[in-house]
Amino acid sequence: MPRSLLRRPSSSLLAIAIQLASAFSTFSPPPSSSSPLAPATAAASPPPTIIMTDDDVDVVAASASNDDDDDDDVPGDGDGSSDFPPPRDRSSDLLIDGWFHERNDLWPGQAFALKVKEVLYHKRSRFQDVLVFDSESYGRVLVLDGVIQATERDEHSYSEMMAHLPLYSHPNPEKVLVIGGGDGGVLREVARHPSVSEIVICELDADVISVSRRYLPSMAVGFDDPRVRINVMDGARFMDENRGAFDVIITDSSDPVGPASVLFETPFYRAMHGSLRPGGIVCTQGECLWLHLDLIRPLISAITPLFRTVEYAYTTIPSYPSGQIGFVIATKAGEERDGDTNEEDYDNKRQKTEDAGRDGCGGDGGGGCKVPRRVPDEEEARRLRYYTPEVHRAAFVLPAFARRAIFGE
Amino acid sequence: MPRSLLRRPSSSLLAIAIQLASAFSTFSPPPSSSSPLAPATAAASPPPTIIMTDDDVDVVAASASNDDDDDDDVPGDGDGSSDFPPPRDRSSDLLIDGWFHERNDLWPGQAFALKVKEVLYHKRSRFQDVLVFDSESYGRVLVLDGVIQATERDEHSYSEMMAHLPLYSHPNPEKVLVIGGGDGGVLREVARHPSVSEIVICELDADVISVSRRYLPSMAVGFDDPRVRINVMDGARFMDENRGAFDVIITDSSDPVGPASVLFETPFYRAMHGSLRPGGIVCTQGECLWLHLDLIRPLISAITPLFRTVEYAYTTIPSYPSGQIGFVIATKAGEERDGDTNEEDYDNKRQKTEDAGRDGCGGDGGGGCKVPRRVPDEEEARRLRYYTPEVHRAAFVLPAFARRAIFGE
């Protein structure tokens, strides 16, 4: 769940442009992981189109220099300065005795640990502590500010669910915005949908992109799709400037501490709502129902008036705290969503939905996202490792304690 | 998932009888946990009926002495001897720097860790290393041979699902056998079903029962139900002597290493099948689909010819490896299972089941357990913390990679 930081001081634009320029310099892809579960490394393909919609970028981009050095020198400002205060737990403090221990005040008293084979990269970007290591049994691992963001072994669960829950809930997604998501895994999944004509990503930390392209090619392959356009900028600002533009907005963020906390507040959801087309869908990283009900409940309450439907789903993923992570999924009212091209098919689906709702497994009589409106074709289904239409529906079925806490049922 | 060890040399019977006698000595219940999620400590109630069906027990029970000393002296043979070789990872090796690290060759390269507030009990029983500690954020924790078996914070997920998946799938469960389950959590859940007239538990290690009664009263309350009868003996032998006797058999075992490995082999399933009434259901601890597909797949294949249906479900539980654990659930053919008293109701349910099957969420057109045949009444539903009828159905929906690996779909 790579982070997007919303409040970036404009003084950092030059550095960002430099970072961005070298994010697509000619890195040689590393050998693919030894993990038996790691996906095959994608074939080399041309770098994506880069859009710089930030006002200042045209100027600074001209003076950006390429950095062709591929010897462990993924670009950063290098002076140790930061736009945000350093986190309490730096990754180096968590590398103990050959293991990485994910200790954090967000999950006090518990920690997932991975045995480290080799640290491949460890530097502080302008925004955060960036660590990549090769693990004994989870392939390569990306860690930001001491928190595991993705491992080659299980990222597919998160990436597939975060992309396909909203995309298969939409009858015809064309324009998709990803906020955060700098490792590329979610992009890779969005790109599986042939109806999608444009995929815009707003990731503030260009180092995450460059590090992922270098060390995590099975995820960063997502950047290689020709429909992908990259903004290194503030996602909220981009949305303000692009209202009513997207069918699906996915926020692949880090945890709600420090600057990322705004991603869990109502104004950010209002911005997403404004940037959606009628009938559009947002899907955001929604923390863990075993750990953060006190965060999830007020968020759901606060944003419910904004959207037509607000729902919560989750996926299992061993390398995230408590072994799972949730998604807040909300739909915007709109005639497009109500008017399927195939009326009969829609009526059938709605009937099924209502039946399912009565029967208690993933019904969404209210027009939400609990029942997919499209399904992967046979070939695509074979490629997916976690998502199925059945998993889609089951993902919305919450344990009693969580359903009570979040929805009062 | 307290263990039941099947092959117990008869020479250990005296020690077991002694252990058993003191398992129900007058321990004062400890103060209830400080965890906000920990259940309330149950009111004191009389100790359960104890059945000793083992041939030798009548003799040795007469010479068993009570041990009223409640000063950290839960009984064991105390000489450090064991009927099985000591495990490679002793709990003491895993208590490092104030944390308990659950490192184990069954999940190489990964480890869940809990911060320890205080070690409350740590001794070797005749069969295994038994550790109880008070954790910073998971309440009290039971550890056997270095593997977390239950925490006060999340055991309800496992205990509820392990009991209610088979019990709510059965139209009228009367006699229930629990193999293992010495902490009492599963018994507590089985006892919620008013149709059940008899609950027999076969747990080989009496120390687990006594330690749980002393330190984990919210689980051990399960022993207090007057319908519970305890056998400290070999579960397979008990089943051989009680054929066609049970509506539901639950195996709440530890992991398949050492002596417990027989619980994951075909002869044990054959024994369970033999001990079921027609139409009966077994539910066994089925390891984790993120870790042990190479164990689950051949097990499912091997036992499929024995039963009418064989299915796999899972539940989320943060303190188990990779954050979840599975259940193998199998039904025995039988006219009882096909002949509900309420034919109309049955037909309705079957139709719903088939609809659900087509729709892809937990259908079981083949008469399995994917759709509950009964549901908790309103009062009971309010007491349950994890299980709902919706959760029941969703539990059988497996991620694509697991469905392919286990069922070849």
Side-chain angles (χ1 to χ4, degrees):
Chain A
M1 42 180 170
R3 64 178 55 200
S4 166
L5 306 178
L6 286 186
R7 293 187 187 131
R8 182 181 44 74
S10 61
S11 64
S12 63
L13 280 170
L14 176 60
I16 289 170
I18 293 170
Q19 290 168 15
L20 179 69
S22 53
F24 297 100
S25 62
T26 57
F27 287 131
S28 312
S32 59
S33 160
S34 61
S35 163
L37 292 179
T41 303
S45 51
T49 308
I50 305 171
I51 309 176
M52 307 292 272
T53 52
D54 200 308
D55 295 343
D56 305 321
V57 165
D58 283 344
V59 181
V60 293
S63 64
S65 64
N66 277 325
D67 179 356
D68 289 331
D69 179 7
D70 68 355
D71 181 21
D72 204 26
D73 188 20
V74 177
D77 52 4
D79 60 4
S81 69
S82 167
D83 293 320
F84 300 102
R88 273 164 302 182
D89 287 325
R90 301 290 290 269
S91 295
S92 51
D93 298 335
L94 304 176
L95 288 163
I96 307 164
D97 198 21
W99 290 70
F100 174 79
H101 300 265
E102 196 190 40
R103 296 179 189 165
N104 196 295
D105 286 346
L106 279 168
W107 37 91
Q110 69 179 85
F112 183 68
L114 287 173
K115 198 162 199 314
V116 177
K117 219 190 253 178
E118 185 186 358
V119 172
L120 301 173
Y121 178 88
H122 191 192
K123 278 189 183 169
R124 187 158 177 81
S125 77
R126 287 192 70 82
F127 305 104
Q128 53 202 338
D129 183 284
V130 181
L131 167 70
V132 179
F133 66 87
D134 203 4
S135 69
E136 187 169 285
S137 54
Y138 275 68
R140 293 186 172 180
V141 182
L142 172 65
V143 179
L144 298 179
D145 279 351
V147 176
I148 294 170
Q149 305 292 314
T151 84
E152 287 182 319
R153 175 162 161 175
D154 64 6
E155 60 83 21
H156 61 86
S157 162
Y158 178 74
S159 302
E160 289 187 12
M161 293 295 275
M162 175 147 251
H164 301 314
L165 287 177
L167 282 163
Y168 281 120
S169 296
H170 194 286
N172 185 39
E174 292 170 336
K175 290 189 70 180
V176 178
L177 171 62
V178 177
I179 296 176
D183 62 31
V186 168
L187 294 179
R188 180 194 65 212
E189 296 305 317
V190 172
R192 294 190 193 280
H193 292 258
S195 67
V196 172
S197 57
E198 186 179 345
I199 310 168
V200 178
I201 174 168
C202 286
E203 163 65 61
L204 196 56
D205 194 340
D207 277 13
V208 174
I209 300 174
S210 59
V211 165
S212 297
R213 286 182 69 85
R214 180 165 187 186
Y215 295 106
L216 303 165
S218 62
M219 294 169 230
V221 65
F223 286 104
D224 294 342
D225 190 279
R227 293 166 291 177
V228 171
R229 293 195 278 178
I230 303 171
N231 285 298
V232 177
M233 73 175 292
D234 177 330
R237 182 167 165 197
F238 178 81
M239 289 193 290
D240 279 348
E241 293 166 0
N242 291 272
R243 297 184 65 79
F246 294 98
D247 297 303
V248 171
I249 299 175
I250 295 169
T251 300
D252 178 8
S253 73
S254 60
D255 297 308
V257 284
S261 64
V262 295
L263 302 176
F264 293 78
E265 292 170 3
T266 311
F268 182 71
Y269 281 84
R270 196 172 286 122
M272 287 194 289
H273 185 271
S275 193
L276 279 179
R277 286 176 168 171
I281 302 173
V282 300
C283 178
T284 66
Q285 194 267 87
E287 296 298 310
C288 176
L289 53 80
W290 279 99
L291 291 165
H292 299 123
L293 287 174
D294 56 349
L295 185 144
I296 298 164
R297 177 179 27 210
L299 174 62
I300 298 272
S301 297
I303 67 172
T304 293
L306 298 180
F307 290 90
R308 180 185 178 186
T309 63
V310 177
E311 296 163 319
Y312 191 87
Y314 73 93
T315 192
T316 69
I317 175 161
S319 68
Y320 281 175
S322 290
Q324 61 178 254
I325 196 159
F327 307 102
V328 176
I329 300 178
T331 62
K332 180 175 183 170
E335 54 195 1
E336 284 85 344
R337 187 153 174 77
D338 284 340
D340 266 10
T341 47
N342 184 339
E343 289 285 344
E344 193 182 340
D345 181 53
Y346 179 74
D347 286 346
N348 284 342
K349 280 187 179 160
R350 175 50 43 104
Q351 189 55 50
K352 274 191 189 171
T353 299
E354 286 169 3
D355 288 348
R358 278 198 301 274
D359 218 19
C361 185
D364 69 344
C369 298
K370 289 179 179 170
V371 177
R373 291 161 72 97
R374 300 179 300 113
V375 297
D377 64 28
E378 210 171 306
E379 198 181 325
E380 197 56 53
R382 274 198 299 271
R383 288 194 199 109
L384 295 171
R385 288 174 284 166
Y386 197 92
Y387 180 92
T388 70
E390 298 81 7
V391 167
H392 182 126
R393 293 177 56 168
F396 290 86
V397 178
L398 307 186
F401 75 88
R403 195 168 79 170
R404 267 181 220 125
I406 301 176
F407 297 106
E409 289 169 359
Chain B
M1 43 181 170
R3 65 178 53 203
S4 168
L5 306 177
L6 286 186
R7 291 184 190 133
R8 182 179 46 73
S10 60
S11 63
S12 64
L13 279 170
L14 176 60
I16 289 171
I18 294 170
Q19 291 165 15
L20 179 69
S22 52
F24 299 99
S25 63
T26 56
F27 287 133
S28 311
S32 60
S33 161
S34 60
S35 164
L37 292 179
T41 303
S45 51
T49 309
I50 304 171
I51 309 174
M52 308 291 273
T53 52
D54 200 308
D55 295 345
D56 306 321
V57 165
D58 282 345
V59 181
V60 294
S63 62
S65 64
N66 277 326
D67 179 355
D68 289 331
D69 179 7
D70 67 357
D71 182 21
D72 204 24
D73 188 23
V74 177
D77 52 4
D79 60 4
S81 68
S82 166
D83 293 320
F84 300 102
R88 274 163 300 181
D89 288 326
R90 300 290 290 269
S91 294
S92 51
D93 298 334
L94 304 176
L95 289 163
I96 307 164
D97 197 22
W99 290 71
F100 174 78
H101 300 266
E102 196 191 39
R103 296 178 189 166
N104 196 295
D105 287 346
L106 279 168
W107 37 91
Q110 70 180 84
F112 182 67
L114 287 173
K115 197 162 198 316
V116 177
K117 218 190 254 179
E118 185 186 357
V119 172
L120 301 172
Y121 177 88
H122 191 192
K123 278 190 183 170
R124 186 159 179 81
S125 77
R126 288 193 70 81
F127 306 104
Q128 53 202 338
D129 183 284
V130 181
L131 167 70
V132 179
F133 66 88
D134 203 4
S135 67
E136 186 168 287
S137 53
Y138 275 67
R140 293 186 173 181
V141 182
L142 173 65
V143 180
L144 299 180
D145 279 350
V147 176
I148 295 171
Q149 305 294 313
T151 84
E152 287 182 319
R153 175 162 162 175
D154 64 5
E155 62 83 20
H156 60 87
S157 161
Y158 178 73
S159 302
E160 289 188 11
M161 294 293 278
M162 176 146 251
H164 302 313
L165 287 177
L167 282 163
Y168 280 121
S169 296
H170 194 286
N172 185 40
E174 292 170 337
K175 291 190 68 180
V176 177
L177 171 63
V178 178
I179 296 176
D183 62 31
V186 168
L187 293 179
R188 180 193 66 211
E189 297 304 318
V190 172
R192 295 189 192 281
H193 291 258
S195 67
V196 171
S197 58
E198 186 178 347
I199 309 169
V200 179
I201 174 168
C202 286
E203 163 65 62
L204 196 55
D205 193 340
D207 277 13
V208 173
I209 299 174
S210 58
V211 165
S212 297
R213 286 184 67 85
R214 180 165 189 187
Y215 295 107
L216 304 165
S218 61
M219 294 169 230
V221 65
F223 287 103
D224 294 342
D225 190 279
R227 293 165 292 176
V228 170
R229 293 196 278 179
I230 303 172
N231 285 299
V232 177
M233 72 175 292
D234 178 330
R237 182 168 165 195
F238 178 82
M239 290 193 290
D240 279 348
E241 293 165 2
N242 291 272
R243 298 183 64 79
F246 293 98
D247 297 302
V248 171
I249 300 176
I250 295 169
T251 301
D252 179 9
S253 73
S254 59
D255 298 307
V257 283
S261 64
V262 295
L263 302 177
F264 293 79
E265 291 169 6
T266 310
F268 182 70
Y269 281 84
R270 195 172 287 120
M272 287 195 287
H273 185 273
S275 194
L276 281 180
R277 286 176 170 172
I281 302 173
V282 300
C283 177
T284 66
Q285 194 267 88
E287 296 298 310
C288 176
L289 52 82
W290 278 100
L291 291 165
H292 299 123
L293 287 175
D294 56 347
L295 185 143
I296 298 164
R297 177 181 24 213
L299 174 62
I300 298 271
S301 297
I303 67 171
T304 293
L306 298 181
F307 290 91
R308 179 185 178 186
T309 63
V310 178
E311 295 161 321
Y312 191 86
Y314 73 93
T315 192
T316 69
I317 177 162
S319 67
Y320 281 175
S322 291
Q324 62 179 254
I325 197 159
F327 307 102
V328 175
I329 300 178
T331 62
K332 180 176 184 169
E335 54 194 1
E336 285 84 345
R337 185 152 175 79
D338 285 340
D340 267 8
T341 47
N342 183 337
E343 288 285 344
E344 193 183 339
D345 181 53
Y346 179 74
D347 286 346
N348 284 341
K349 280 188 180 159
R350 177 47 45 105
Q351 188 56 49
K352 274 192 189 171
T353 299
E354 286 170 1
D355 288 347
R358 278 199 302 273
D359 217 20
C361 186
D364 70 343
C369 297
K370 289 181 180 169
V371 177
R373 291 160 72 96
R374 300 178 301 112
V375 297
D377 64 28
E378 212 171 305
E379 197 181 327
E380 197 55 54
R382 274 196 298 271
R383 287 194 199 110
L384 295 170
R385 289 174 284 166
Y386 197 94
Y387 180 91
T388 70
E390 298 80 10
V391 167
H392 182 125
R393 292 176 57 168
F396 290 87
V397 178
L398 307 186
F401 75 88
R403 194 167 79 170
R404 267 182 220 127
I406 300 175
F407 297 106
E409 290 170 357

